[in-house]
Amino acid sequence: MSTLVPAAGWVGSFLGVAASLALAWTGFRAQYKPGALRRNQLVVPVWCMVAGAALSMLALEIALLTDNFAVSYVAETHSRDTSWLFTITTAWSALGGSIVLWALVLAGYTAVVLRGVRTTDDRLGVGALGVMGIVAAFFFGLVTTVANPFRILINPPPNGPGPNPLLQENILVAFHPPMLYLGFVGFTVPFAFAMSALLIRQGGIDWLRRTRRANLVAWSFLTGATFLGAWWAYEVLGWGGYWAWDPVENAALLPWLTGTAFIHSAAVQIKRGMLQAWNFVLVLATFALTILGTFLTRSGVVSSVHSFTESGVGPAFLGLLLVVLVAGFGLFAARGERLASLSRPESLASREGAFLVNNLLLSLFAFVVLTGTVYPIVVEALTGNQVSVGRPFFDRMAVPLGFGLLLAMGVGPILPYRHAAPGVVWQRLRYPLVVASLTAAVLVAAGARSPGLVAVVFLATVIVGSTLRQLAVSMPQRSLPGFLRLVRGQRAYWGGQLAHLGVAGVVVVIAVTGAFGERSTVTLQRGEATEFAGYQVTFEATQEYSAPNREVTEPRISFRDDGTVAHVATPRVSSFRNQEQAVGTPSVWSGPTQDVYVSLADLQPDQVTLNLYRYPLMVWMWVAGAVMAAGGLWALGFGRRRSQGSDGRHAERSDEVVSRA
């Protein structure tokens, strides 16, 4: 049994390699000889890919759950003391297993693409399958070589070190990595269709319509994963924040920025026939940035809490990145004369003009983040000197770009296509502007002295107000059935507006917590109290106890309001068996109006040093992130599958109805 399970993993990974190469060969043959092959010659390799990936993942999970330490991955990442939940999540919590999961997700997306390829006469579709076969062969190849988790140990240890302690402290490890992979890998689909369209010199909107669902799925999952990752960091790392412009955090943000720009730009091309070349650039850049992000995470070139151990996959991913850049943009340059859009925006004061400005700002934002992330790596590689680009740089550049994006989101959706007369713009914006001005005035009267906070609240109120105004004038009747008919019939538009409302909520929370947050570091003897955020904070006692896989030391910190205990915080230090370093975990007291966050700076038998934080409205950050992801899923829709291309036409008609309102 100890060798049967890894043998099954080997079989699955080699089957995946063979099936991927067969799909690539068959897909490109069918593209250049339409109708010469049967569709079954595509079906068999795709489902062999799925079977191979599923078999590899199943073998890995069985090896972990049965404590099979003869398998190298289990011996390096698992422990008999690890709970069943974190044993399952260990399958993607280290290098080899994460590549297996990547291959499994990619095989699933490939199977979905296959459903839309009804015949081998579909040159665009079969070419996309061929490109996905090449990408899949790379990842399956990693599983069989430098990232192989199924190596058999001749002298297996009786136990292992267990997962990284930080990966055993919160249930979000079960959701954040898989969602991140669903986002990253999903952008392979539009990349594959874009490359296929370039290969056969086919411009137009067919490839955009056929990848619309995949774009929205990938964007929604990447959005959700980014916020889950921020929440995870906030709940586990103990430094009191949720986003530190960590290089690997930035690596996830980069494809999100360009992917967001691509979704907006694709809508303009489908509706108005503009920005065709821009769409090819954006989708190629988005896929390249997913590979760059994977390289940063798994190569060890950056020091990060997210990074896996340095290994041979770094050069492999760097090679793939260079191939994607050279092949993708080289092919784009060779076909460039056929890709120029025949029409241009008539005016920046139009829906398409606002989308163009929005895309330029998103692209500039991505360039800034890319520069700040990659610059230290390049300098160290060339000179050997270590330099850092810190948070002040990113904050200084992100703030003005963020204001510009908020302005574009507030104004763009209410503008008509082609040209917006000043009177029409004023008619659609006057009430949102009045409400936003009153809100900003109330905020100043209440004591807000930060110009940035007032400006953010003003712009966010414009976004909310313009959305509600459009909703009011577009509803056929003021009733719940009328509302449901509207938002169901115009999913593309109202899904986008829902996502915009989520963005508005996120930036308001960021501004409020930055302006009104409190922080204090205190040292308390047992029984001693101090004041913080209107509470009397007392170090009551310290308790120690044993858990199945750790020893825990936990001080009890009481928060009293007018003598009544309102909350007892229990930040802790956990010493995991088979792990040398103890891990601290903060205590977070979340409510609808504020979070009180307590982390340990030092713990002695009768003395504790605490970092105390108070963040107003913090819980609404996670709610707003969920609203953003829900907007993408709503635009996707879950109803009856329409015929090919009808989603795009329906979105066009719906958008025109709203534009006239």
PDB file of all heavy atoms in Angstrom, residues 351 410-417 420-433 462 465-467 469-470 473 493 656-661:
ATOM      1  N   ARG A 351     -19.379  56.849 -22.976  1.00  0.00           N
ATOM      2  CA  ARG A 351     -19.171  55.605 -22.231  1.00  0.00           C
ATOM      3  C   ARG A 351     -17.851  54.946 -22.632  1.00  0.00           C
ATOM      4  O   ARG A 351     -17.068  54.541 -21.772  1.00  0.00           O
ATOM      5  CB  ARG A 351     -20.341  54.664 -22.502  1.00  0.00           C
ATOM      6  CG  ARG A 351     -20.261  53.316 -21.785  1.00  0.00           C
ATOM      7  CD  ARG A 351     -20.722  53.399 -20.353  1.00  0.00           C
ATOM      8  NE  ARG A 351     -22.109  53.806 -20.277  1.00  0.00           N
ATOM      9  CZ  ARG A 351     -23.156  52.986 -20.361  1.00  0.00           C
ATOM     10  NH1 ARG A 351     -22.949  51.692 -20.541  1.00  0.00           N
ATOM     11  NH2 ARG A 351     -24.380  53.424 -20.259  1.00  0.00           N
ATOM     12  N   GLY A 410     -17.621  56.410 -11.042  1.00  0.00           N
ATOM     13  CA  GLY A 410     -18.809  57.172 -10.715  1.00  0.00           C
ATOM     14  C   GLY A 410     -19.483  57.781 -11.928  1.00  0.00           C
ATOM     15  O   GLY A 410     -20.717  57.866 -11.997  1.00  0.00           O
ATOM     16  N   VAL A 411     -18.693  58.202 -12.905  1.00  0.00           N
ATOM     17  CA  VAL A 411     -19.228  58.929 -14.058  1.00  0.00           C
ATOM     18  C   VAL A 411     -19.468  58.014 -15.258  1.00  0.00           C
ATOM     19  O   VAL A 411     -20.481  58.132 -15.950  1.00  0.00           O
ATOM     20  CB  VAL A 411     -18.275  60.078 -14.443  1.00  0.00           C
ATOM     21  CG1 VAL A 411     -18.761  60.784 -15.704  1.00  0.00           C
ATOM     22  CG2 VAL A 411     -18.141  61.070 -13.294  1.00  0.00           C
ATOM     23  N   GLY A 412     -18.526  57.073 -15.513  1.00  0.00           N
ATOM     24  CA  GLY A 412     -18.578  56.272 -16.733  1.00  0.00           C
ATOM     25  C   GLY A 412     -19.887  55.552 -16.995  1.00  0.00           C
ATOM     26  O   GLY A 412     -20.451  55.665 -18.094  1.00  0.00           O
ATOM     27  N   PRO A 413     -20.429  54.805 -16.024  1.00  0.00           N
ATOM     28  CA  PRO A 413     -21.637  54.020 -16.325  1.00  0.00           C
ATOM     29  C   PRO A 413     -22.872  54.832 -16.668  1.00  0.00           C
ATOM     30  O   PRO A 413     -23.800  54.301 -17.277  1.00  0.00           O
ATOM     31  CB  PRO A 413     -21.857  53.223 -15.023  1.00  0.00           C
ATOM     32  CG  PRO A 413     -20.512  53.155 -14.391  1.00  0.00           C
ATOM     33  CD  PRO A 413     -19.860  54.455 -14.716  1.00  0.00           C
ATOM     34  N   ILE A 414     -22.905  56.121 -16.282  1.00  0.00           N
ATOM     35  CA  ILE A 414     -24.109  56.914 -16.591  1.00  0.00           C
ATOM     36  C   ILE A 414     -23.980  57.663 -17.916  1.00  0.00           C
ATOM     37  O   ILE A 414     -24.930  58.301 -18.366  1.00  0.00           O
ATOM     38  CB  ILE A 414     -24.417  57.902 -15.441  1.00  0.00           C
ATOM     39  CG1 ILE A 414     -23.251  58.882 -15.213  1.00  0.00           C
ATOM     40  CG2 ILE A 414     -24.720  57.146 -14.175  1.00  0.00           C
ATOM     41  CD1 ILE A 414     -23.369  60.185 -15.892  1.00  0.00           C
ATOM     42  N   LEU A 415     -22.798  57.593 -18.546  1.00  0.00           N
ATOM     43  CA  LEU A 415     -22.615  58.288 -19.813  1.00  0.00           C
ATOM     44  C   LEU A 415     -23.185  57.470 -20.961  1.00  0.00           C
ATOM     45  O   LEU A 415     -23.073  56.244 -20.975  1.00  0.00           O
ATOM     46  CB  LEU A 415     -21.129  58.551 -20.068  1.00  0.00           C
ATOM     47  CG  LEU A 415     -20.405  59.480 -19.086  1.00  0.00           C
ATOM     48  CD1 LEU A 415     -18.927  59.561 -19.442  1.00  0.00           C
ATOM     49  CD2 LEU A 415     -21.032  60.866 -19.083  1.00  0.00           C
ATOM     50  N   PRO A 416     -23.770  58.104 -21.956  1.00  0.00           N
ATOM     51  CA  PRO A 416     -24.211  57.379 -23.158  1.00  0.00           C
ATOM     52  C   PRO A 416     -23.010  57.084 -24.052  1.00  0.00           C
ATOM     53  O   PRO A 416     -21.933  57.662 -23.903  1.00  0.00           O
ATOM     54  CB  PRO A 416     -25.169  58.361 -23.827  1.00  0.00           C
ATOM     55  CG  PRO A 416     -24.678  59.705 -23.399  1.00  0.00           C
ATOM     56  CD  PRO A 416     -24.143  59.540 -22.008  1.00  0.00           C
ATOM     57  N   TYR A 417     -23.202  56.153 -24.983  1.00  0.00           N
ATOM     58  CA  TYR A 417     -22.161  55.880 -25.966  1.00  0.00           C
ATOM     59  C   TYR A 417     -22.079  57.042 -26.960  1.00  0.00           C
ATOM     60  O   TYR A 417     -22.980  57.851 -27.083  1.00  0.00           O
ATOM     61  CB  TYR A 417     -22.441  54.571 -26.701  1.00  0.00           C
ATOM     62  CG  TYR A 417     -22.055  53.345 -25.894  1.00  0.00           C
ATOM     63  CD1 TYR A 417     -23.028  52.580 -25.259  1.00  0.00           C
ATOM     64  CD2 TYR A 417     -20.731  52.965 -25.763  1.00  0.00           C
ATOM     65  CE1 TYR A 417     -22.684  51.459 -24.519  1.00  0.00           C
ATOM     66  CE2 TYR A 417     -20.373  51.848 -25.036  1.00  0.00           C
ATOM     67  CZ  TYR A 417     -21.345  51.105 -24.407  1.00  0.00           C
ATOM     68  OH  TYR A 417     -21.007  49.995 -23.667  1.00  0.00           O
ATOM     69  N   ALA A 420     -21.613  62.469 -24.971  1.00  0.00           N
ATOM     70  CA  ALA A 420     -22.492  62.872 -23.873  1.00  0.00           C
ATOM     71  C   ALA A 420     -22.598  64.385 -23.850  1.00  0.00           C
ATOM     72  O   ALA A 420     -21.598  65.088 -23.631  1.00  0.00           O
ATOM     73  CB  ALA A 420     -21.949  62.354 -22.540  1.00  0.00           C
ATOM     74  N   ALA A 421     -23.784  64.897 -24.114  1.00  0.00           N
ATOM     75  CA  ALA A 421     -24.010  66.342 -24.026  1.00  0.00           C
ATOM     76  C   ALA A 421     -23.934  66.774 -22.565  1.00  0.00           C
ATOM     77  O   ALA A 421     -24.343  66.038 -21.663  1.00  0.00           O
ATOM     78  CB  ALA A 421     -25.380  66.697 -24.602  1.00  0.00           C
ATOM     79  N   PRO A 422     -23.394  67.972 -22.298  1.00  0.00           N
ATOM     80  CA  PRO A 422     -23.286  68.431 -20.903  1.00  0.00           C
ATOM     81  C   PRO A 422     -24.610  68.395 -20.157  1.00  0.00           C
ATOM     82  O   PRO A 422     -24.653  68.052 -18.972  1.00  0.00           O
ATOM     83  CB  PRO A 422     -22.757  69.867 -21.058  1.00  0.00           C
ATOM     84  CG  PRO A 422     -22.033  69.866 -22.364  1.00  0.00           C
ATOM     85  CD  PRO A 422     -22.789  68.935 -23.241  1.00  0.00           C
ATOM     86  N   GLY A 423     -25.702  68.726 -20.837  1.00  0.00           N
ATOM     87  CA  GLY A 423     -26.996  68.715 -20.172  1.00  0.00           C
ATOM     88  C   GLY A 423     -27.401  67.326 -19.715  1.00  0.00           C
ATOM     89  O   GLY A 423     -27.987  67.147 -18.640  1.00  0.00           O
ATOM     90  N   VAL A 424     -27.092  66.310 -20.534  1.00  0.00           N
ATOM     91  CA  VAL A 424     -27.430  64.934 -20.179  1.00  0.00           C
ATOM     92  C   VAL A 424     -26.609  64.485 -18.974  1.00  0.00           C
ATOM     93  O   VAL A 424     -27.121  63.857 -18.037  1.00  0.00           O
ATOM     94  CB  VAL A 424     -27.187  64.001 -21.382  1.00  0.00           C
ATOM     95  CG1 VAL A 424     -27.349  62.546 -20.978  1.00  0.00           C
ATOM     96  CG2 VAL A 424     -28.128  64.356 -22.520  1.00  0.00           C
ATOM     97  N   VAL A 425     -25.307  64.823 -18.985  1.00  0.00           N
ATOM     98  CA  VAL A 425     -24.449  64.442 -17.862  1.00  0.00           C
ATOM     99  C   VAL A 425     -24.933  65.095 -16.574  1.00  0.00           C
ATOM    100  O   VAL A 425     -25.018  64.446 -15.518  1.00  0.00           O
ATOM    101  CB  VAL A 425     -22.983  64.839 -18.155  1.00  0.00           C
ATOM    102  CG1 VAL A 425     -22.097  64.526 -16.946  1.00  0.00           C
ATOM    103  CG2 VAL A 425     -22.467  64.112 -19.391  1.00  0.00           C
ATOM    104  N   TRP A 426     -25.274  66.393 -16.632  1.00  0.00           N
ATOM    105  CA  TRP A 426     -25.744  67.083 -15.434  1.00  0.00           C
ATOM    106  C   TRP A 426     -27.063  66.486 -14.938  1.00  0.00           C
ATOM    107  O   TRP A 426     -27.248  66.289 -13.730  1.00  0.00           O
ATOM    108  CB  TRP A 426     -25.911  68.567 -15.720  1.00  0.00           C
ATOM    109  CG  TRP A 426     -26.620  69.312 -14.611  1.00  0.00           C
ATOM    110  CD1 TRP A 426     -27.825  69.913 -14.652  1.00  0.00           C
ATOM    111  CD2 TRP A 426     -26.134  69.478 -13.279  1.00  0.00           C
ATOM    112  NE1 TRP A 426     -28.140  70.460 -13.442  1.00  0.00           N
ATOM    113  CE2 TRP A 426     -27.120  70.212 -12.562  1.00  0.00           C
ATOM    114  CE3 TRP A 426     -24.981  69.092 -12.604  1.00  0.00           C
ATOM    115  CZ2 TRP A 426     -26.974  70.568 -11.235  1.00  0.00           C
ATOM    116  CZ3 TRP A 426     -24.838  69.442 -11.272  1.00  0.00           C
ATOM    117  CH2 TRP A 426     -25.810  70.166 -10.607  1.00  0.00           C
ATOM    118  N   GLN A 427     -27.959  66.162 -15.861  1.00  0.00           N
ATOM    119  CA  GLN A 427     -29.236  65.578 -15.462  1.00  0.00           C
ATOM    120  C   GLN A 427     -29.034  64.261 -14.717  1.00  0.00           C
ATOM    121  O   GLN A 427     -29.731  63.975 -13.732  1.00  0.00           O
ATOM    122  CB  GLN A 427     -30.104  65.342 -16.698  1.00  0.00           C
ATOM    123  CG  GLN A 427     -31.455  64.682 -16.382  1.00  0.00           C
ATOM    124  CD  GLN A 427     -32.206  64.291 -17.640  1.00  0.00           C
ATOM    125  OE1 GLN A 427     -31.693  64.449 -18.745  1.00  0.00           O
ATOM    126  NE2 GLN A 427     -33.404  63.785 -17.476  1.00  0.00           N
ATOM    127  N   ARG A 428     -28.060  63.456 -15.135  1.00  0.00           N
ATOM    128  CA  ARG A 428     -27.849  62.153 -14.526  1.00  0.00           C
ATOM    129  C   ARG A 428     -26.991  62.215 -13.257  1.00  0.00           C
ATOM    130  O   ARG A 428     -27.023  61.282 -12.449  1.00  0.00           O
ATOM    131  CB  ARG A 428     -27.203  61.213 -15.547  1.00  0.00           C
ATOM    132  CG  ARG A 428     -28.086  60.964 -16.754  1.00  0.00           C
ATOM    133  CD  ARG A 428     -27.425  60.042 -17.763  1.00  0.00           C
ATOM    134  NE  ARG A 428     -28.296  59.814 -18.909  1.00  0.00           N
ATOM    135  CZ  ARG A 428     -28.003  59.011 -19.918  1.00  0.00           C
ATOM    136  NH1 ARG A 428     -26.861  58.351 -19.922  1.00  0.00           N
ATOM    137  NH2 ARG A 428     -28.846  58.868 -20.922  1.00  0.00           N
ATOM    138  N   LEU A 429     -26.237  63.299 -13.099  1.00  0.00           N
ATOM    139  CA  LEU A 429     -25.338  63.369 -11.960  1.00  0.00           C
ATOM    140  C   LEU A 429     -25.771  64.357 -10.882  1.00  0.00           C
ATOM    141  O   LEU A 429     -25.191  64.355  -9.792  1.00  0.00           O
ATOM    142  CB  LEU A 429     -23.922  63.750 -12.426  1.00  0.00           C
ATOM    143  CG  LEU A 429     -23.015  62.632 -12.934  1.00  0.00           C
ATOM    144  CD1 LEU A 429     -21.666  63.189 -13.345  1.00  0.00           C
ATOM    145  CD2 LEU A 429     -22.828  61.554 -11.867  1.00  0.00           C
ATOM    146  N   ARG A 430     -26.758  65.200 -11.143  1.00  0.00           N
ATOM    147  CA  ARG A 430     -27.035  66.284 -10.209  1.00  0.00           C
ATOM    148  C   ARG A 430     -27.456  65.765  -8.839  1.00  0.00           C
ATOM    149  O   ARG A 430     -26.970  66.270  -7.807  1.00  0.00           O
ATOM    150  CB  ARG A 430     -28.090  67.224 -10.786  1.00  0.00           C
ATOM    151  CG  ARG A 430     -29.414  66.574 -11.163  1.00  0.00           C
ATOM    152  CD  ARG A 430     -30.375  67.586 -11.752  1.00  0.00           C
ATOM    153  NE  ARG A 430     -31.623  66.929 -12.182  1.00  0.00           N
ATOM    154  CZ  ARG A 430     -32.646  67.588 -12.699  1.00  0.00           C
ATOM    155  NH1 ARG A 430     -32.569  68.901 -12.862  1.00  0.00           N
ATOM    156  NH2 ARG A 430     -33.734  66.925 -13.081  1.00  0.00           N
ATOM    157  N   TYR A 431     -28.366  64.797  -8.793  1.00  0.00           N
ATOM    158  CA  TYR A 431     -28.805  64.292  -7.494  1.00  0.00           C
ATOM    159  C   TYR A 431     -27.687  63.542  -6.769  1.00  0.00           C
ATOM    160  O   TYR A 431     -27.482  63.761  -5.568  1.00  0.00           O
ATOM    161  CB  TYR A 431     -30.042  63.422  -7.659  1.00  0.00           C
ATOM    162  CG  TYR A 431     -31.258  64.203  -8.083  1.00  0.00           C
ATOM    163  CD1 TYR A 431     -31.936  63.894  -9.264  1.00  0.00           C
ATOM    164  CD2 TYR A 431     -31.733  65.279  -7.319  1.00  0.00           C
ATOM    165  CE1 TYR A 431     -33.047  64.620  -9.670  1.00  0.00           C
ATOM    166  CE2 TYR A 431     -32.850  66.010  -7.726  1.00  0.00           C
ATOM    167  CZ  TYR A 431     -33.500  65.675  -8.890  1.00  0.00           C
ATOM    168  OH  TYR A 431     -34.594  66.396  -9.297  1.00  0.00           O
ATOM    169  N   PRO A 432     -26.943  62.651  -7.434  1.00  0.00           N
ATOM    170  CA  PRO A 432     -25.798  62.042  -6.738  1.00  0.00           C
ATOM    171  C   PRO A 432     -24.787  63.064  -6.236  1.00  0.00           C
ATOM    172  O   PRO A 432     -24.249  62.909  -5.131  1.00  0.00           O
ATOM    173  CB  PRO A 432     -25.183  61.141  -7.818  1.00  0.00           C
ATOM    174  CG  PRO A 432     -26.326  60.789  -8.706  1.00  0.00           C
ATOM    175  CD  PRO A 432     -27.176  62.024  -8.751  1.00  0.00           C
ATOM    176  N   LEU A 433     -24.536  64.145  -7.010  1.00  0.00           N
ATOM    177  CA  LEU A 433     -23.601  65.160  -6.559  1.00  0.00           C
ATOM    178  C   LEU A 433     -24.123  65.920  -5.348  1.00  0.00           C
ATOM    179  O   LEU A 433     -23.364  66.228  -4.424  1.00  0.00           O
ATOM    180  CB  LEU A 433     -23.294  66.133  -7.703  1.00  0.00           C
ATOM    181  CG  LEU A 433     -22.418  65.583  -8.834  1.00  0.00           C
ATOM    182  CD1 LEU A 433     -22.327  66.592  -9.977  1.00  0.00           C
ATOM    183  CD2 LEU A 433     -21.011  65.268  -8.312  1.00  0.00           C
ATOM    184  N   VAL A 462     -21.025  59.365  -4.763  1.00  0.00           N
ATOM    185  CA  VAL A 462     -21.424  59.579  -6.162  1.00  0.00           C
ATOM    186  C   VAL A 462     -21.657  58.233  -6.858  1.00  0.00           C
ATOM    187  O   VAL A 462     -22.642  58.067  -7.602  1.00  0.00           O
ATOM    188  CB  VAL A 462     -20.346  60.396  -6.905  1.00  0.00           C
ATOM    189  CG1 VAL A 462     -20.632  60.423  -8.403  1.00  0.00           C
ATOM    190  CG2 VAL A 462     -20.287  61.822  -6.372  1.00  0.00           C
ATOM    191  N   GLY A 465     -24.867  56.791  -5.422  1.00  0.00           N
ATOM    192  CA  GLY A 465     -26.007  57.593  -5.846  1.00  0.00           C
ATOM    193  C   GLY A 465     -26.334  57.430  -7.315  1.00  0.00           C
ATOM    194  O   GLY A 465     -27.507  57.320  -7.690  1.00  0.00           O
ATOM    195  N   SER A 466     -25.309  57.407  -8.164  1.00  0.00           N
ATOM    196  CA  SER A 466     -25.567  57.251  -9.598  1.00  0.00           C
ATOM    197  C   SER A 466     -26.120  55.865  -9.907  1.00  0.00           C
ATOM    198  O   SER A 466     -26.989  55.709 -10.777  1.00  0.00           O
ATOM    199  CB  SER A 466     -24.286  57.509 -10.399  1.00  0.00           C
ATOM    200  OG  SER A 466     -23.269  56.574 -10.060  1.00  0.00           O
ATOM    201  N   THR A 467     -25.652  54.847  -9.160  1.00  0.00           N
ATOM    202  CA  THR A 467     -26.190  53.494  -9.349  1.00  0.00           C
ATOM    203  C   THR A 467     -27.662  53.427  -8.953  1.00  0.00           C
ATOM    204  O   THR A 467     -28.493  52.867  -9.680  1.00  0.00           O
ATOM    205  CB  THR A 467     -25.379  52.478  -8.529  1.00  0.00           C
ATOM    206  OG1 THR A 467     -24.011  52.508  -8.948  1.00  0.00           O
ATOM    207  CG2 THR A 467     -25.922  51.071  -8.714  1.00  0.00           C
ATOM    208  N   ARG A 469     -29.742  55.905  -8.814  1.00  0.00           N
ATOM    209  CA  ARG A 469     -30.528  56.726  -9.740  1.00  0.00           C
ATOM    210  C   ARG A 469     -30.821  55.951 -11.020  1.00  0.00           C
ATOM    211  O   ARG A 469     -31.959  55.947 -11.514  1.00  0.00           O
ATOM    212  CB  ARG A 469     -29.751  58.008 -10.035  1.00  0.00           C
ATOM    213  CG  ARG A 469     -30.499  59.005 -10.911  1.00  0.00           C
ATOM    214  CD  ARG A 469     -29.948  58.964 -12.320  1.00  0.00           C
ATOM    215  NE  ARG A 469     -30.749  59.761 -13.221  1.00  0.00           N
ATOM    216  CZ  ARG A 469     -30.790  59.581 -14.534  1.00  0.00           C
ATOM    217  NH1 ARG A 469     -30.093  58.614 -15.093  1.00  0.00           N
ATOM    218  NH2 ARG A 469     -31.544  60.348 -15.293  1.00  0.00           N
ATOM    219  N   GLN A 470     -29.802  55.255 -11.548  1.00  0.00           N
ATOM    220  CA  GLN A 470     -30.019  54.442 -12.741  1.00  0.00           C
ATOM    221  C   GLN A 470     -31.017  53.327 -12.478  1.00  0.00           C
ATOM    222  O   GLN A 470     -31.853  52.997 -13.320  1.00  0.00           O
ATOM    223  CB  GLN A 470     -28.693  53.841 -13.213  1.00  0.00           C
ATOM    224  CG  GLN A 470     -27.744  54.840 -13.865  1.00  0.00           C
ATOM    225  CD  GLN A 470     -28.295  55.315 -15.192  1.00  0.00           C
ATOM    226  OE1 GLN A 470     -28.976  56.334 -15.244  1.00  0.00           O
ATOM    227  NE2 GLN A 470     -27.996  54.596 -16.256  1.00  0.00           N
ATOM    228  N   VAL A 473     -34.645  54.895 -12.437  1.00  0.00           N
ATOM    229  CA  VAL A 473     -35.219  55.319 -13.718  1.00  0.00           C
ATOM    230  C   VAL A 473     -35.357  54.156 -14.689  1.00  0.00           C
ATOM    231  O   VAL A 473     -36.088  54.259 -15.678  1.00  0.00           O
ATOM    232  CB  VAL A 473     -34.376  56.436 -14.363  1.00  0.00           C
ATOM    233  CG1 VAL A 473     -34.303  57.646 -13.454  1.00  0.00           C
ATOM    234  CG2 VAL A 473     -32.978  55.947 -14.726  1.00  0.00           C
ATOM    235  N   TYR A 493     -24.765  44.579 -17.062  1.00  0.00           N
ATOM    236  CA  TYR A 493     -24.692  45.949 -16.544  1.00  0.00           C
ATOM    237  C   TYR A 493     -24.785  45.969 -15.024  1.00  0.00           C
ATOM    238  O   TYR A 493     -23.956  46.568 -14.337  1.00  0.00           O
ATOM    239  CB  TYR A 493     -25.802  46.812 -17.148  1.00  0.00           C
ATOM    240  CG  TYR A 493     -25.756  48.246 -16.657  1.00  0.00           C
ATOM    241  CD1 TYR A 493     -24.923  49.166 -17.261  1.00  0.00           C
ATOM    242  CD2 TYR A 493     -26.534  48.657 -15.583  1.00  0.00           C
ATOM    243  CE1 TYR A 493     -24.874  50.477 -16.814  1.00  0.00           C
ATOM    244  CE2 TYR A 493     -26.493  49.952 -15.119  1.00  0.00           C
ATOM    245  CZ  TYR A 493     -25.661  50.865 -15.740  1.00  0.00           C
ATOM    246  OH  TYR A 493     -25.603  52.154 -15.282  1.00  0.00           O
ATOM    247  N   GLU A 656     -27.740  49.143 -23.753  1.00  0.00           N
ATOM    248  CA  GLU A 656     -28.311  50.258 -24.493  1.00  0.00           C
ATOM    249  C   GLU A 656     -29.570  50.784 -23.804  1.00  0.00           C
ATOM    250  O   GLU A 656     -29.814  51.983 -23.763  1.00  0.00           O
ATOM    251  CB  GLU A 656     -28.641  49.810 -25.925  1.00  0.00           C
ATOM    252  CG  GLU A 656     -29.088  50.952 -26.836  1.00  0.00           C
ATOM    253  CD  GLU A 656     -28.007  51.992 -27.011  1.00  0.00           C
ATOM    254  OE1 GLU A 656     -26.824  51.636 -27.015  1.00  0.00           O
ATOM    255  OE2 GLU A 656     -28.349  53.188 -27.115  1.00  0.00           O
ATOM    256  N   VAL A 657     -30.368  49.872 -23.233  1.00  0.00           N
ATOM    257  CA  VAL A 657     -31.556  50.310 -22.497  1.00  0.00           C
ATOM    258  C   VAL A 657     -31.161  51.202 -21.340  1.00  0.00           C
ATOM    259  O   VAL A 657     -31.740  52.264 -21.106  1.00  0.00           O
ATOM    260  CB  VAL A 657     -32.336  49.071 -21.997  1.00  0.00           C
ATOM    261  CG1 VAL A 657     -33.426  49.498 -21.030  1.00  0.00           C
ATOM    262  CG2 VAL A 657     -32.944  48.318 -23.162  1.00  0.00           C
ATOM    263  N   VAL A 658     -30.132  50.789 -20.580  1.00  0.00           N
ATOM    264  CA  VAL A 658     -29.690  51.583 -19.442  1.00  0.00           C
ATOM    265  C   VAL A 658     -29.088  52.903 -19.911  1.00  0.00           C
ATOM    266  O   VAL A 658     -29.272  53.951 -19.303  1.00  0.00           O
ATOM    267  CB  VAL A 658     -28.670  50.779 -18.607  1.00  0.00           C
ATOM    268  CG1 VAL A 658     -28.102  51.630 -17.496  1.00  0.00           C
ATOM    269  CG2 VAL A 658     -29.318  49.528 -18.038  1.00  0.00           C
ATOM    270  N   SER A 659     -28.345  52.865 -21.015  1.00  0.00           N
ATOM    271  CA  SER A 659     -27.704  54.076 -21.507  1.00  0.00           C
ATOM    272  C   SER A 659     -28.711  55.152 -21.867  1.00  0.00           C
ATOM    273  O   SER A 659     -28.454  56.344 -21.697  1.00  0.00           O
ATOM    274  CB  SER A 659     -26.837  53.727 -22.728  1.00  0.00           C
ATOM    275  OG  SER A 659     -26.227  54.858 -23.255  1.00  0.00           O
ATOM    276  N   ARG A 660     -29.902  54.758 -22.344  1.00  0.00           N
ATOM    277  CA  ARG A 660     -30.886  55.753 -22.730  1.00  0.00           C
ATOM    278  C   ARG A 660     -31.639  56.330 -21.528  1.00  0.00           C
ATOM    279  O   ARG A 660     -32.353  57.312 -21.663  1.00  0.00           O
ATOM    280  CB  ARG A 660     -31.884  55.126 -23.708  1.00  0.00           C
ATOM    281  CG  ARG A 660     -31.291  54.773 -25.059  1.00  0.00           C
ATOM    282  CD  ARG A 660     -32.418  54.544 -26.064  1.00  0.00           C
ATOM    283  NE  ARG A 660     -33.294  53.467 -25.647  1.00  0.00           N
ATOM    284  CZ  ARG A 660     -33.149  52.200 -26.026  1.00  0.00           C
ATOM    285  NH1 ARG A 660     -32.133  51.853 -26.793  1.00  0.00           N
ATOM    286  NH2 ARG A 660     -33.989  51.268 -25.626  1.00  0.00           N
ATOM    287  N   ALA A 661     -31.488  55.674 -20.365  1.00  0.00           N
ATOM    288  CA  ALA A 661     -32.289  56.091 -19.192  1.00  0.00           C
ATOM    289  C   ALA A 661     -31.856  57.460 -18.679  1.00  0.00           C
ATOM    290  O   ALA A 661     -30.700  57.804 -18.708  1.00  0.00           O
ATOM    291  CB  ALA A 661     -32.121  55.048 -18.088  1.00  0.00           C
TER     292      ALA A 661
END
